[in-house]
């Protein structure tokens, strides 16, 4: 029992003293911004969009927004709103190229074309 | 612009043959061949994709089509010249490795059970493929060696850089294994007992881990991870016969080479645990004992009781293993000194670090991997806590002065660091400790943009393929982040700086899969084990593996930018001499390897 209390106390202290470090341990690089950017770029490339400036992302409190420019001047916009799963909307000028889960794009790109999901 | 004259060619052949103890006829024959783009295996020819479901949610891997280089003009800001491919010449062809995370999986100096406390937060503490990291490192060295001739220009590989996180848990043995693998020294990935695997993945009661003998009972088994009953014995049973890198190689610090798990300071109890004979199997044991230095700081009496418990095997949550002094946790400076314990060739001894580094304690360096290119190896790691980094002011000021000098000397500049521009905001300082300013990403990017001779910044840390453009007006540079050897896709890259002879420069990035087959064969040779590692990593769901491939804009690319100065001042003859040296160096490497 004494050992158990000790372990619990130790764990509680670990959790409290190192919480900022523990949160920083989360899988490196695996964040919403990266997912949105990669999925958005996948959509742009698969649609043959000629890119002048690839989307540059900023993460707000809840949303991720990435903006770029196509050759010819059309603005490129990737947006991901708060919530799970992360829903990606890709627009080039007035055209919406994709509106759906970002992870679906990444998974499709990682599988042979025509493979079942 | 003329290349080498006949007389200069013969002089080069004679000089290189003598310097490298090679047959002049062999050198002459190799150098006389016109450079031709290589079709050696890279992701230009073949990619590795998710295959069909094998069991549960577990998927195999399968071969996919190659991916051509995609031109990117974010920095150049205009259409590139259509004829540039006809005129181009190579200024530097470089291998780029990062985040090798070589692991001694049997060591008590690990904290794997923390994933039970929070798998997502502590994911890097345990991967199902942890016993196979030496095998992957060897397979990656083989891939770099295979890609020794450029697929773009036919130029020979000039050098290789390693941008940190080479040893996963600050173990001297992990550090030695990584250096030996890159040097081409055979490594048996075993410690402790000479013939029995003594680690969590072999113990039936550790159901939270992936146990290849019998995965049932935990979340890895539920996911569908396969039964591979001979994997652990094979992992430690025979040496990894890495061919080594055929070029000089250079290294920088990563956060795992600086802090424990890249995040925490190392205390004396953990140092003792690492070389001891008690390995924690529960997260309570880790939190209560191994991590006491930054968890509970109990009374001296309690600490004594704990130490007795651990010493006599009465503490719960531990199992006895064979102690091994080679698992000693290394001091920060020892990361540098270990790089001097290396084969003299391909060198350089120190791998970027010099005697001046050892004397001063400065952990950053510059080197010229080719006559017209200068590299700056930074140490962006925080010395106190946290995985992310920053640039200390003394190093920042050094870099500024060195960049100005490089500009005056007409050097094309390559910057190397572990952290990338999205992970350079860690300004943690020790109370009462060093008070110098820590510069973040914005300041570093501004500094690099002040110096147009900087064309590319190579880094890692986030275990994914990512390429970002940094621009100011009509100039800028490219930031290239490579994936890791531990997480899927287990890819690294080769990078080539190419003069297009039209006032533009291209940085070609080509992603490399390691040299293991797509699917492991039945023999369980070391390359088959590397293949197993990649497949396990592709199914390690907690690491969001597919996302780490990046997009096509982050993999095989041609990154265009304005030439930093008039590159015609570099003559063809100078470049031919550079390529002759690199070619002869690789001939010497092959001759050494065959002995």
């Amino acid at each position: 029992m004494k050992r158990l209390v000790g372990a619990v106390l130790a764990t509680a202290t670990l959790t409290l003293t190192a919480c900022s470090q523990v949160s920083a341990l989360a899988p490196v690089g695996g964040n919403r911004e990266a997912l949105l950017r990669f999925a958005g770029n996948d959509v742009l490339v698969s649609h043959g969009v000629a890119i002048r400036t690839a989307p540059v992302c900023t993460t707000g409190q809840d949303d991720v927004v990435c903006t770029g420019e196509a050759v010819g001047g059309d603005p490129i916009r990737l947006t991901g709103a708060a919530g799970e799963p992360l829903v990606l909307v890709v627009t080039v000028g007035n055209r919406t190229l994709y509106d759906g889960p970002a992870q679906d794009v990444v998974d499709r790109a990682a599988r042979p074309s025509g493979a079942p999901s | 612009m003329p290349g080498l004259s006949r007389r200069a060619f013969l002089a080069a052949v004679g000089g290189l043959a003598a310097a490298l103890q090679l047959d002049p006829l062999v050198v002459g024959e190799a150098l006389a061949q016109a450079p031709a783009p290589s079709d050696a295996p890279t992701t230009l020819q073949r990619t590795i994709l998710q295959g069909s479901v094998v069991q549960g949610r577990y998927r195999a891997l399968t071969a996919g089509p190659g991916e051509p280089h995609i031109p990117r003009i974010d920095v150049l800001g205009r259409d590139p010249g259509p004829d540039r491919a006809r005129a181009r010449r190579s200024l530097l062809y470089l291998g780029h490795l990062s985040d090798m995370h070589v692991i001694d999986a049997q060591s008590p100096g690990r904290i794997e059970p923390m994933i039970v406390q929070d798998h997502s937060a502590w994911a890097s503490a345990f991967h199902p493929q942890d016993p196979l990291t030496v095998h992957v490192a060897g397979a990656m060295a083989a891939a770099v060696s295979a890609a020794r001739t450029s697929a773009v220009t036919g130029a020979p590989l000039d050098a290789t850089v390693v941008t940190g996180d080479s040893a996963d848990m600050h173990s001297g043995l992990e550090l030695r294994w990584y250096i030996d693998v890159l040097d081409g020294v055979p490594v048996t990935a075993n410690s402790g007992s000479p013939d029995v695997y003594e680690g969590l993945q072999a113990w039936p009661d550790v159901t939270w881990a992936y146990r290849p003998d019998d995965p049932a009972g935990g979340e890895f088994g539920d996911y569908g991870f396969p039964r591979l009953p001979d994997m652990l014995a094979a992992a430690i049973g025979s040496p990894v016969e890495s061919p080594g890198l055929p070029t000089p190689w250079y290294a920088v610090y990563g956060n795992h080479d600086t802090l424990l798990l890249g995040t925490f300071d190392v205390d004396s109890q953990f140092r003792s645990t690492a070389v001891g004979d008690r390995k924690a199997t529960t997260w309570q044991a880790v939190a209560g004992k191994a991590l006491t230095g930054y968890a509970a700081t109990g009374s001296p009496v309690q600490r004594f009781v704990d130490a007795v418990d651990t010493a006599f095997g009465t503490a719960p949550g531990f199992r006895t293993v064979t102690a091994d002094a080679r698992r000693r946790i290394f001091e920060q400076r020892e990361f540098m000194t270990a790089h001097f314990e290396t084969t003299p060739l391909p060198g350089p001894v120190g791998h970027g670090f010099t005697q001046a580094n050892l004397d001063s304690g400065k952990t950053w360096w510059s080197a010229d991997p080719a006559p017209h290119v200068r590299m700056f190896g930074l140490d962006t790691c925080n010395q106190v806590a946290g995985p992310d980094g920053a640039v200390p002011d003394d190093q920042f000021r050094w870099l500024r002065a060195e960049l100005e000098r490089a500009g005056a000397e007409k050097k094309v500049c390559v910057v190397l660091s572990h952290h990338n521009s999205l992970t350079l905001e860690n300004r943690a300082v020790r109370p009462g400790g060093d008070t110098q300013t820590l510069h973040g990403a914005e300041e570093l990017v501004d500094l690099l943009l002040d110096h147009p001779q900087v064309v590319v910044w190579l880094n890692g840390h986030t275990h994914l393929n990512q390429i970002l453009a940094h621009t100011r007006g009509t100039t800028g540079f490219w930031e290239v982040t490579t994936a890791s050897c531990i997480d899927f896709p287990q890819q690294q890259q080769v990078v080539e700086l190419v003069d297009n002879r039209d006032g533009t420069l291209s940085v070609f990035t080509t992603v490399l899969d390691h040299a293991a087959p797509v699917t492991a064969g039945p023999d369980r040779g070391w390359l088959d084990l590397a293949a197993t590692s990649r497949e396990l990593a592709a199914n390690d769901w907690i690491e969001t593996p597919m996302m780490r491939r990046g997009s096509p804009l982050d993999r095989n690319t041609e990154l265009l930018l304005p030439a930093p100065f008039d590159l015609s001042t570099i003559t063809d003859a100078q470049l031919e001499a550079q390529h002759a040296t690199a070619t002869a160096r690789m001939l010497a490497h092959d001759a050494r390897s065959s002995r």
Side-chain angles (χ1 to χ4, degrees):
Chain A
M1 185 65 180
K2 184 178 158 192
R3 287 199 183 104
L4 179 62
V5 170
V8 170
L9 284 174
T11 307
T13 313
L14 171 69
T15 307
L16 291 172
T17 58
C19 59
S20 60
Q21 294 177 19
V22 172
S23 66
L25 278 170
V28 284
N31 61 27
R32 293 165 62 83
E33 184 176 307
L35 175 60
L36 191 90
R37 182 175 167 279
F38 292 152
N41 285 346
D42 260 320
V43 170
L44 294 170
V45 172
S46 65
H47 280 77
V49 176
I51 299 168
R52 157 73 178 76
T53 306
V56 177
C57 301
T58 52
T59 300
Q61 198 157 15
D62 298 313
D63 298 354
V64 184
V65 177
C66 314
T67 56
E69 185 183 324
V71 171
D74 278 346
I76 297 171
R77 188 174 170 84
L78 319 177
T79 58
E84 292 291 338
L86 177 65
V87 173
L88 163 70
V89 179
V90 180
T91 60
V92 178
N94 297 323
R95 291 185 300 149
T96 298
L97 301 186
Y98 183 80
D99 185 348
Q103 188 64 45
D104 287 0
V105 176
V106 167
D107 287 342
R108 250 196 319 272
R111 293 171 190 160
S113 54
S117 57
Chain B
M1 223 179 312
L4 285 177
S5 65
R6 179 176 167 78
R7 176 176 294 183
F9 175 83
L10 292 174
V13 168
L16 289 166
L20 296 166
Q21 297 177 309
L22 292 168
D23 181 341
L25 289 175
V26 173
V27 176
E29 190 179 337
L31 300 190
Q33 291 175 7
S38 166
D39 59 359
T42 70
T43 56
L44 294 167
Q45 279 85 34
R46 184 201 70 183
T47 52
I48 296 177
L49 301 174
Q50 257 191 339
S52 55
V53 171
V54 177
Q55 176 176 277
R57 295 159 62 199
Y58 189 94
R59 286 176 179 267
L61 295 173
T62 189
E67 295 183 334
H69 291 117
I70 296 180
R72 289 189 57 179
I73 58 171
D74 311 43
V75 177
L76 184 63
R78 57 181 167 81
D79 286 340
D83 296 329
R84 67 192 184 286
R86 283 210 297 260
R88 62 176 52 136
R89 57 188 191 149
S90 180
L91 302 175
L92 181 76
Y93 181 41
L94 195 64
H96 178 204
L97 308 178
S98 195
D99 297 86
M100 300 179 77
H101 288 272
V102 168
I103 291 173
D104 173 14
Q106 300 175 88
S107 170
R110 296 187 57 74
I111 58 172
E112 306 99 320
M114 293 307 295
I115 71 164
V116 181
Q117 201 255 345
D118 184 336
H119 195 170
S120 180
W122 292 91
S124 59
F126 175 79
H127 313 84
Q129 68 275 18
D130 279 348
L132 306 175
T133 54
V134 174
H135 310 73
V136 172
M140 195 57 80
V144 173
S145 186
R148 60 175 60 187
T149 301
S150 162
V152 177
T153 63
L157 198 64
D158 289 295
T160 305
V161 296
V162 186
T163 52
D165 276 9
S166 302
D168 187 64
M169 281 296 277
H170 233 273
S171 154
L173 191 53
E174 294 170 346
L175 183 55
R176 177 47 39 203
W177 284 350
Y178 128 76
I179 292 170
D180 283 352
V181 165
L182 296 193
D183 277 347
V185 176
V187 173
T188 300
N190 190 25
S191 64
S193 168
D195 48 17
V196 177
Y197 188 93
E198 296 177 331
L200 298 161
Q201 290 175 264
W203 297 333
D205 55 318
V206 185
T207 53
W208 53 263
Y210 167 57
R211 290 157 299 110
D213 284 359
D214 178 13
E219 58 180 346
F220 288 97
D222 294 345
Y223 191 92
F225 272 65
R227 184 168 176 274
L228 300 171
D230 53 352
M231 184 187 106
L232 297 177
I236 64 170
S238 52
V240 171
E241 303 273 1
S242 163
L245 297 173
T247 68
W249 59 274
Y250 300 82
V252 304
Y253 276 85
N255 56 304
H256 280 249
D257 310 313
T258 304
L259 296 170
L260 187 67
L261 202 66
T263 305
F264 302 108
D265 202 359
V266 185
D267 76 346
S268 58
Q269 182 153 350
F270 191 84
R271 292 181 187 281
S272 170
T273 300
V275 293
D277 65 354
R278 305 291 288 165
K279 185 166 174 65
T281 60
T282 67
W283 70 270
Q284 292 89 344
V286 173
K289 299 289 192 295
L291 296 184
T292 51
Y294 46 85
T297 50
S299 69
V301 173
Q302 184 61 50
R303 280 175 169 266
F304 175 74
V305 171
D306 288 348
V308 170
D309 270 352
T310 302
F312 289 93
T314 51
F318 287 88
R319 282 182 71 143
T320 301
V321 297
T322 305
D324 192 332
R326 298 177 302 163
R327 293 167 173 155
R328 190 174 61 85
I329 302 296
F330 61 81
E331 302 289 343
Q332 198 207 357
R333 185 177 291 217
E334 287 179 79
F335 181 77
M336 290 195 289
T337 57
H339 285 84
F340 288 78
E341 297 158 20
T342 184
T343 55
L345 292 173
V349 173
H351 297 291
F353 303 110
T354 64
Q355 187 60 44
N357 290 103
L358 299 183
D359 293 343
S360 68
K362 290 179 179 171
T363 51
W364 53 93
W365 50 261
S366 71
D368 292 1
H372 306 284
V373 181
R374 184 155 298 162
M375 300 192 301
F376 299 97
L378 307 183
D379 176 4
T380 52
C381 302
N382 191 287
Q383 309 294 312
V384 180
D388 291 347
V391 186
D393 191 54
D394 53 358
Q395 193 176 158
F396 193 85
R397 286 185 283 109
W398 168 84
L399 180 60
R400 176 185 288 139
E402 288 292 318
L403 286 172
E404 279 163 17
R405 192 157 70 95
E409 295 174 9
K410 298 285 186 199
K411 301 283 187 184
V412 177
C413 294
V414 176
V415 176
L416 314 170
S417 69
H418 179 64
H419 295 92
N420 55 53
S421 66
L422 303 180
T423 54
L424 270 179
E425 301 302 336
N426 181 358
R427 292 182 171 85
V429 294
R430 200 183 306 279
D434 191 348
T435 57
Q436 70 172 317
T437 302
L438 295 173
H439 297 274
E442 195 172 335
E443 294 158 280
L444 179 60
V445 168
D446 273 347
L447 174 62
L448 302 185
L449 285 171
D450 286 341
H451 298 87
Q453 70 273 23
V454 175
V455 296
V456 66
W457 172 17
L458 304 178
N459 53 47
H461 186 53
T462 39
H463 297 196
L464 43 76
N465 293 313
Q466 173 179 273
I467 297 176
L468 302 175
H470 297 282
T471 59
R472 181 193 289 162
T474 56
T475 64
F477 66 91
W478 290 94
E479 179 187 350
V480 179
T481 303
T482 187
S484 71
C485 286
I486 183 71
D487 292 319
F488 188 76
Q490 297 189 344
Q491 289 177 328
Q492 310 272 258
Q493 59 190 199
V494 284
V495 177
E496 186 169 20
L497 312 186
V498 172
D499 170 20
N500 293 321
R501 296 199 220 235
D502 63 357
T504 70
L505 185 147
S506 293
V507 179
F508 282 89
T509 64
T510 307
V511 169
L512 301 179
D513 287 312
H514 59 68
V518 177
T519 304
D523 295 342
R524 292 269 176 259
W526 68 270
L527 282 169
D528 295 311
L529 291 167
T532 298
S533 171
R534 179 165 48 211
E535 186 180 289
L536 295 173
N539 286 280
D540 190 9
W541 69 94
I542 206 74
E543 297 281 12
T544 56
M546 293 307 122
M547 180 272 293
R548 294 176 185 281
R549 298 170 67 242
S551 76
L553 301 183
D554 304 287
R555 296 191 291 254
N556 293 345
T557 64
E558 179 188 5
L559 311 172
L560 285 124
L561 70 169
F565 53 85
D566 179 6
L567 294 173
S568 68
T569 56
I570 302 171
T571 67
D572 285 357
Q574 289 170 325
L575 291 177
E576 282 183 29
Q578 171 189 327
H579 298 157
T581 301
T583 299
R585 220 162 28 206
M586 289 194 283
L587 287 174
H589 170 83
D590 292 345
R592 282 194 308 277
S593 301
S594 64
R595 279 175 206 148

